[in-house]
Amino acid sequence: MILGLETSCDETGAALVTQDGEVHANVVASQADLHARYGGVVPEVASRRHLELAAPVLSATLEQGGATLDDVDAVAVTHGPGLIGALLVGLSAAKALAWSRQLPLHPVDHLHGHVASLYLQPEPLEPPFLCLLASGGHTLLLDVRTHAGYDIVGTTLDDAAGEAFDKGARLLGLGYPGGAALDRAASEGDPSAYDFPVARVPGFDFSFSGLKTALLYAVRDLPADELERRRGDLAASYQRAIVRALVERTRAAAEDLRAKRIAVVGGVAANSELRSALADAALAPLALCTDNAAMIASAARFTHAIPFPEYLALDAYASAA
Ligand code: KG4
Ligand code: ZN
């Protein structure tokens, strides 16, 4: 049994996953409400909240799995990329748990974790496949050939897709985090009402900053009551442009790499329009799209563990570079 911990951003997660990918427990405590009033995640506030939530989330996870720490054979934890203070809370907790019980520790890369959300039961996906990873912090096209890793074939040149959703939602007065709210607002609007640009940069990279500016200009000129009336149309047209950019690039890369299978993971994989536009792809289960620890424990099944007690000096990293 692998105990996974995830604290890279504003979700405190713990999970129990077996070596063959069965999820026995998966608990996520979101801090979204805490950060909503600031319109985004405040790193220091996130770190302190992780500290308060780590122990109760762990207890809830053991209870959900009908397990005790005696059942845990290894600990897995996200050690980057993410908010450095937030990561250090999870990493310290993981080291303490592993060390106190003389267990091995698996450091897991958060992005590998998102991909590994596809390797869990009941329908584990087998590589090779081309993976679109679209989250609040990243937009990547990954050539996945083994369970243990991937090659990056495309990335965003500016904002991440989730960031584009969040910034758009903010401009439309839909609160934070706005992806899901924008998705809902879009379902009541006309996606062809506005002609927002779909950036086509060379290769398999993405760009979303021009789109965000186009929405800003469209919103800026509208009186408040008019914005209220056109909110659905604006959301639907804006979402259509993001989804088009994601789908076009993903299909082009799949063709170029002769990938037989496409997969989609990350918070934006929860988007309803993206899910129907890529209905033929392997889509991460809804509960595993946004940050969680089951995907971290899943990734650990395919990485080497650091034996007790060699991990005590292990550090976290904020960005992959
Ligand atoms: O993977 P995730 O939980 O965190 C990161 O690793 O960044 O992704 C969070 C992102 C946020 O930007 C959120 O707005 C977006 O996923 N998101 C959505 C939807 N649900 C969450 N974006 C579009 N449509 C959704 N339904
Ligand atoms: Zn994530």
Side-chain angles (χ1 to χ4, degrees), residues 47 57 67 71 75 77 85 102 138 143 172 174 184 211 275 318:
S47 310
V57 165
D71 300 310
V75 179
V77 63
Q102 307 200 2
H138 296 87
D143 184 12
L172 294 173
L174 292 168
R184 276 193 300 278
L211 173 61
R275 290 181 90 84

Side-chain angles (χ1 to χ4, degrees), residues 6 8-9 11 81 110-111 113-114 133-138 266-267 289-292 295-296:
E6 155 65 40
S8 67
C9 189
E11 257 102 33
H110 184 76
L111 305 176
H114 273 297
L133 189 170
S135 69
H138 296 87
C289 288
T290 45
D291 290 346
N292 64 84
M295 68 185 197
I296 302 303

Side-chain angles (χ1 to χ4, degrees), residues 141-160:
L141 279 170
L142 307 171
D143 184 12
V144 183
R145 299 200 173 256
T146 75
H147 287 103
Y150 46 75
D151 289 320
I152 296 178
V153 295
T155 184
T156 180
L157 302 179
D158 38 61
D159 292 345

